Amino acid sequence: MATALGPHPLDTHHTRSAATASRTAFVALLLRDLTVLRKSLKEFIPRTILQPFLLVFVFTYVFPTIGQGIGGGGGRGAAAARGESAFATILVAGVVGLCILFQGIQAVALPMVQEFGYTKEIEDRVLAPLPVSLVALEKVAAGAIQGLLAAIIVFPIASFVHAKQVHIALQYHWPILLTMIPLACIACSSLGLTFGTFFDPRTVPLLFGIVVLPITFLGGTYYSWTALAPVKVFGWSWLQTVVLLNPLIYVTEGFRAALTKAPHMHLYVIYPVLIGFTALFLWQGISGFKKRVLS
């Protein structure tokens, strides 16, 4: 009878494929994280804007106002003003890139350290009906969305809080910006996934002391990559070579290409290397996540 009349209505619950179940669970976990973010906007917004605001306010407003503008090269008058304006323009891209990096660490790495350590919340996540690797990818997706929101919040601050003119060239570089923002957000969230699976609560101070701090200062936040060429030993621009190991340099240079007309690294270098870093961090982070969960 069942064959003649078709499947029994109660049997429809058993026809959902594993892919559909995984997709549903992935979306549910993502919506859960976004709901938590919406309810914690009072903490998210101050945490996001404080550091970029202080960087831009001090370096591009306070210093020029009191006569200690960075980028003026010790000169006076129009030449010093042009130097300070060039520094402010370079700093805009660096601040946006740095904000996305810190958001990837704060939104992915630090919560994951707690979930593996104190709260054990990760055990509830891995019980969802989807592969463990997709649980890790959901963390990256949620972190990337938070990085995107952080960039949207920070960009006006970096553009308008200054004493000297900042030269933004968005009208020519929209395609670069629209591709660089999601790529940078995913790359930094993937880096956060790698950090979150490698460090535990006892070693979090090491994360900021010996990893994040060098990445920040050697990531092109306050200078362009091309400006490092004069730093040489025996004719070799050693610092310009060493910072190529830093993923943040490609993020800041990418935003420099997208937002300004300042000298920057070639785009045919930025995109492939940043995509390569993203793939590396995803592979390392997912492998570490599986190891921590299944051990």
Side-chain angles (χ1 to χ4, degrees), residues 59-74:
F59 283 122
T60 68
Y61 181 81
V62 175
F63 277 16
T65 302
I66 66 177
Q68 298 181 13
I70 297 178

Side-chain angles (χ1 to χ4, degrees), residues 6 20 22 25-26 31 40 113-114 135 147 161 165-166 177 187 203 263 271:
T20 302
S22 297
F26 183 92
L31 291 176
S40 60
V113 168
Q114 295 177 352
V135 177
V161 182
Q165 185 178 5
V166 173
L177 183 64
T203 58
Y271 279 107

Side-chain angles (χ1 to χ4, degrees), residues 60 64 69-72 78-92 162-167:
T60 68
I70 297 178
R82 285 194 299 269
E84 292 165 3
S85 177
F87 174 77
T89 301
I90 288 174
L91 187 63
V92 167
H162 51 78
K164 303 298 179 181
Q165 185 178 5
V166 173
H167 301 287

Side-chain angles (χ1 to χ4, degrees), residues 59 70 86-95 213-231 239-240 242-244 246 248-254 256 262-265:
F59 283 122
I70 297 178
F87 174 77
T89 301
I90 288 174
L91 187 63
V92 167
V95 165
L213 195 62
I215 288 178
T216 300
F217 281 95
L218 298 177
T221 304
Y222 313 102
Y223 49 82
S224 65
W225 178 78
T226 56
L228 297 177
V231 184
L239 187 57
Q240 197 176 44
V242 170
V243 298
L244 294 176
N246 187 346
L248 181 59
I249 195 75
Y250 303 96
V251 175
T252 55
E253 287 293 291
R256 206 155 279 135
H264 55 79
M265 189 184 297

Side-chain angles (χ1 to χ4, degrees), residues 24-163:
T24 302
F26 183 92
V27 173
L29 287 175
L30 185 59
L31 291 176
R32 175 190 180 279
D33 285 337
L34 295 181
T35 301
V36 173
L37 174 62
R38 179 176 58 84
K39 292 183 178 181
S40 60
L41 284 178
K42 292 182 179 179
E43 294 82 18
F44 174 79
I45 294 177
R47 183 188 73 191
T48 300
I49 67 175
L50 183 59
Q51 183 189 39
F53 174 79
L54 291 177
L55 281 175
V56 176
F57 180 71
V58 171
F59 283 122
T60 68
Y61 181 81
V62 175
F63 277 16
T65 302
I66 66 177
Q68 298 181 13
I70 297 178
R76 296 180 180 273
R82 285 194 299 269
E84 292 165 3
S85 177
F87 174 77
T89 301
I90 288 174
L91 187 63
V92 167
V95 165
V96 174
L98 184 63
C99 175
I100 293 177
L101 172 72
F102 271 92
Q103 198 59 47
I105 295 173
Q106 292 174 337
V108 182
L110 297 185
M112 188 173 296
V113 168
Q114 295 177 352
E115 290 170 6
F116 277 118
Y118 304 126
T119 66
K120 300 295 183 182
E121 183 183 335
I122 202 67
E123 297 177 359
D124 296 332
R125 288 180 176 269
V126 298
L127 290 176
L130 73 168
V132 173
S133 59
L134 287 183
V135 177
L137 288 177
E138 185 277 329
K139 300 287 289 184
V140 173
I145 293 174
Q146 293 187 45
L148 175 62
L149 294 177
I152 294 173
I153 293 172
V154 166
F155 179 69
I157 297 174
S159 300
F160 301 114
V161 182
H162 51 78

